[in-house]
Amino acid sequence: MSDSPGSPDAAARDRDEAESASAFAHPPVAPDATAAYGDHPDQVVDFYAPRDGRTAAPLVVLLHGGAWRAPYDRAHVSPLADFLARRGFAVANVEYRRGGDDIPQQRGGEESTGAAGAGPVAGRWPETFDDVAAALDAMPVLAARALPGADVRRIVVTGHSAGGHLALWAAARHVLPEGSPWRLPAPPPLRGVVALAPIADFAAAVGLGVCGGAVTQLLGGEAGFADRAAHADPGVLLPTGIATAIVQGVEDIVVPQAVSEAYVDAAAKAGETVGLTLLGGVGHFPLIDPAADACAVVAEEITQLAW
């Protein structure tokens, strides 16, 4: 059967599968400490101390991807957390509530090629956002207790794919609509955001069918989508006034380059400059793969904001 117009060709799919296999081949790395920010089992943060023993290390808050779906948890980015810790950062790897088969929403596909198919629902409304907000609000206290060497005055938030969306959203809570339960009265105390192949603009992502309709599922389905998107879509929560950089693989077929570009364009129209680093010959998963050169680029982007 031939590919449909605009769908990834066989070579692109093969590259995506190989990159995914490499990224997920690393065994999980155990944290140095774990702390809870709520009562639910998913409301926890794993902490990684800087491997060089330095004190006053910048704190990287890491939000994992996986299309906001339950099968993908923080364990798959623990090698990235360890990689950053070896670069001298303190790292907080955040877990949050995600979608599962028990949620009565439209079901979609897995986060591999973004094709539609049977799979768990993406996200929980509003619990996914409740958790990210609560984790970030609690982070200075939690990190000070778990990692005395962390400098909680220098926090950079990073996230991959769906986690990249959450990272951008976490930095935009002060521009949420009035009355939003997650709105902050002032900008969060962040050095910046480094979003990795983020689902950054909902209109672009929905138009491209990213992750089998995951964006629509995240907001609880089509009913009420527009109202909820006003509280959840980074592409409309601009400008933030917080330094923001995006790292994007040009060959990404999971969250295509066009999604990041739509966010960068929206930011420019709002009077804000967002850095966009495009990596040629790179797809979706090398950004979280410590064995890939792209991971060093990610660390450098974080370094530029943290120090």
Side-chain angles (χ1 to χ4, degrees), residues 57-68:
L59 177 65
V60 178
V61 176
L62 174 60
L63 295 160
H64 70 81
W68 310 284

Side-chain angles (χ1 to χ4, degrees), residues 18-30:
E19 290 176 340
S20 173
S22 178
F24 283 84
H26 303 281
V29 180

Side-chain angles (χ1 to χ4, degrees), residues 239 266-273:
K269 291 177 181 176
E272 191 158 76
T273 299

